[in-house]
């Protein structure tokens, strides 16, 4: 297995850099990556304090530094240490400068300013947490998206991920013995999306869940035939109401969220103004 030291250096929180590195690393297998994370690097002095660690653990340097002086200092260190250094946002920024006909503002952490988008995301997260697992159905009309599915079909983690993108999300577990509240069928603003999964996968996830809770794994909750009936019940409900369905069996949370955002865009084009003001962050 190949081992690599990866130095991630940012003049802000480093969140963007981490996401880029994670996405790129997902393309490789059998690699042992040792991450060295250096956020809020905004001075030559701070940078110089990091150099001994880079010297001891040579590897690839990825950075998002907008201050010209700090960037130059880092590049000098990397040349001296013979370390490859990649400014990961430069090509994108340059392309945008050409397309927009203006120069980029070289301000560290600009994407994290507490603007309207920031407060919208905070509001979305608060709403989503307060409307998890079928809670607060009286306020579902305020949601942008409502996720429905049987237990352990990734409703909650997908909801939280979408909330971090600025969407207000509610979700409801579908239980054969307990019909959803009538409010579910009367919604006008939220886009309702059904999440489903293969029964075998659900049984596996549920068993693991019970084991982590030190509970008996021989219950109806993990009975194969019972789970098949639950999935069939949910699919009938989705079909009867014309709700789009996403099979999460082989999807990551990020992939499921991306599919939902795409559906939201399609609905907006079909019904202009329905989701006005709802934009991903």
């Amino acid at each position: 297995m190949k081992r690599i030291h990866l130095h991630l250096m940012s003049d802000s929180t480093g969140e963007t850099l981490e996401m880029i590195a994670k996405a790129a690393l997902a393309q490789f297998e059998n690699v042992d990556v040792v991450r060295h994370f250096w956020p809020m690097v905004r001075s030559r002095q701070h940078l110089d304090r990091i150099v001994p660690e880079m010297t001891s653990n040579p590897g690839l340097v990825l950075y998002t530094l907008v201050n010209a002086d700090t960037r130059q200092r880092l590049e000098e260190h990397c040349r001296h240490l013979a370390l490859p250094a990649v400014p990961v946002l430069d090509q994108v920024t340059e392309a945008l400068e050409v397309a927009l006909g203006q120069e980029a503002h070289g301000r560290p952490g600009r994407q994290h300013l507490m603007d309207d988008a920031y407060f919208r995301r905070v509001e979305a997260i608060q709403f989503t947490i307060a409307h998890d697992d079928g809670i607060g159905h009286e306020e579902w009309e305020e949601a942008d998206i409502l996720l429905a599915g049987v237990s352990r079909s990734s409703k909650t983690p997908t909801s939280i991920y979408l909330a971090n993108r600025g969407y207000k999300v509610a979700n409801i577990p579908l239980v054969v013995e307990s019909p959803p509240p009538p409010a579910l069928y009367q919604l006008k603003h939220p886009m309702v999306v059904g999440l489903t999964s293969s029964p075998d996968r659900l049984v596996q996830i549920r068993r693991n869940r019970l084991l982590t809770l030190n509970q008996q794994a021989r219950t109806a909750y993990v009975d194969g035939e019972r789970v098949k009936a639950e999935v069939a019940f949910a699919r009938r409900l989705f079909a009867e109401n014309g709700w789009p369905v996403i099979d999460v069996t082989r999807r990551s949370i990020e992939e499921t969220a991306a599919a939902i955002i795409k559906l939201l865009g399609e609905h907006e084009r079909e019904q202009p103004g329905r989701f006005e003001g709802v934009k991903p962050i």
Side-chain angles (χ1 to χ4, degrees):
M1 180 178 290
K2 174 74 172 180
R3 165 174 279 207
I4 181 175
H5 287 273
L6 187 63
H7 294 270
L8 305 175
M9 194 172 302
S10 172
D11 49 24
S12 185
T13 63
E15 180 182 351
T16 301
L17 187 56
E18 278 195 299
M19 288 191 294
I20 292 172
K22 182 179 179 181
L25 287 168
Q27 309 301 314
F28 301 90
E29 298 178 351
N30 299 320
V31 178
D32 179 17
V33 180
V34 181
R35 290 178 176 80
H36 304 268
F37 186 45
W38 312 108
M40 308 304 290
V41 180
R42 296 184 175 179
S43 69
R44 293 167 65 100
Q45 293 78 12
H46 187 175
L47 178 60
D48 290 345
R49 291 196 297 271
I50 296 170
V51 172
E53 184 72 18
M54 295 168 59
T55 305
S56 301
N57 299 286
L60 176 62
V61 179
L62 303 182
Y63 66 92
T64 53
L65 302 175
V66 298
N67 180 273
D69 188 49
T70 311
R71 282 172 62 109
Q72 182 180 358
R73 183 72 167 180
L74 172 63
E75 290 163 1
E76 289 173 357
H77 281 307
C78 288
R79 281 195 297 271
H80 178 72
L81 297 171
L83 301 180
V86 181
V88 298
L89 291 180
D90 275 24
Q91 285 189 313
V92 176
T93 303
E94 289 167 6
L96 284 171
E97 285 181 331
V98 173
L100 297 172
Q102 59 177 282
E103 244 182 76
H105 294 288
R107 292 186 228 163
R110 184 176 174 83
Q111 72 273 33
H112 298 293
L113 292 176
M114 294 177 68
D115 53 11
D116 289 342
Y118 171 84
F119 290 108
R120 187 170 73 246
R121 179 166 55 188
V122 171
E123 183 181 358
I125 292 171
Q126 291 175 338
F127 179 92
T128 300
I129 292 174
H131 296 82
D132 182 42
D133 208 30
I135 297 173
H137 64 84
E138 302 87 357
E139 299 169 335
W140 280 352
E141 193 61 42
E142 299 176 27
D144 301 310
I145 302 164
L146 188 140
L147 303 180
V150 300
S151 175
R152 314 315 296 177
S153 55
S154 302
K155 298 182 300 300
T156 295
T158 304
S159 296
I160 297 298
Y161 185 92
L162 287 166
N164 274 282
R165 296 291 302 274
Y167 299 100
K168 291 182 179 179
V169 187
N171 74 73
I172 178 174
L174 298 179
V175 182
V176 178
E177 300 82 4
S178 179
L184 178 62
Y185 308 105
Q186 300 166 2
L187 297 174
K188 295 180 180 179
H189 174 69
M191 180 182 71
V192 181
V193 178
L195 301 184
T196 190
S197 184
S198 72
D200 290 343
R201 179 61 175 158
L202 284 172
V203 169
Q204 180 184 5
I205 294 173
R206 291 182 181 187
R207 279 180 177 159
N208 290 339
R209 174 64 174 167
L210 291 178
L211 287 173
T212 60
L213 297 174
N214 294 318
Q215 295 183 9
Q216 178 59 252
R218 293 183 180 179
T219 67
Y221 185 61
V222 293
D223 178 76
E225 292 304 314
R226 172 61 179 269
V227 174
K228 286 180 182 178
E230 286 184 51
V231 172
F233 165 74
R235 282 190 170 276
R236 282 196 302 273
L237 194 63
F238 302 152
E240 290 169 359
N241 290 276
W243 297 328
V245 181
I246 297 176
D247 190 330
V248 303
T249 305
R250 299 183 182 278
R251 292 180 188 260
S252 66
I253 299 302
E254 295 86 349
E255 290 170 331
T256 301
I260 293 169
I261 293 171
K262 182 180 178 182
L263 284 171
L264 196 65
E266 292 171 355
H267 276 247
E268 166 63 16
R269 287 191 291 273
E270 293 171 3
Q271 303 178 49
R274 181 180 178 190
F275 301 101
E276 185 175 356
V278 181
K279 298 179 181 178
I281 296 172

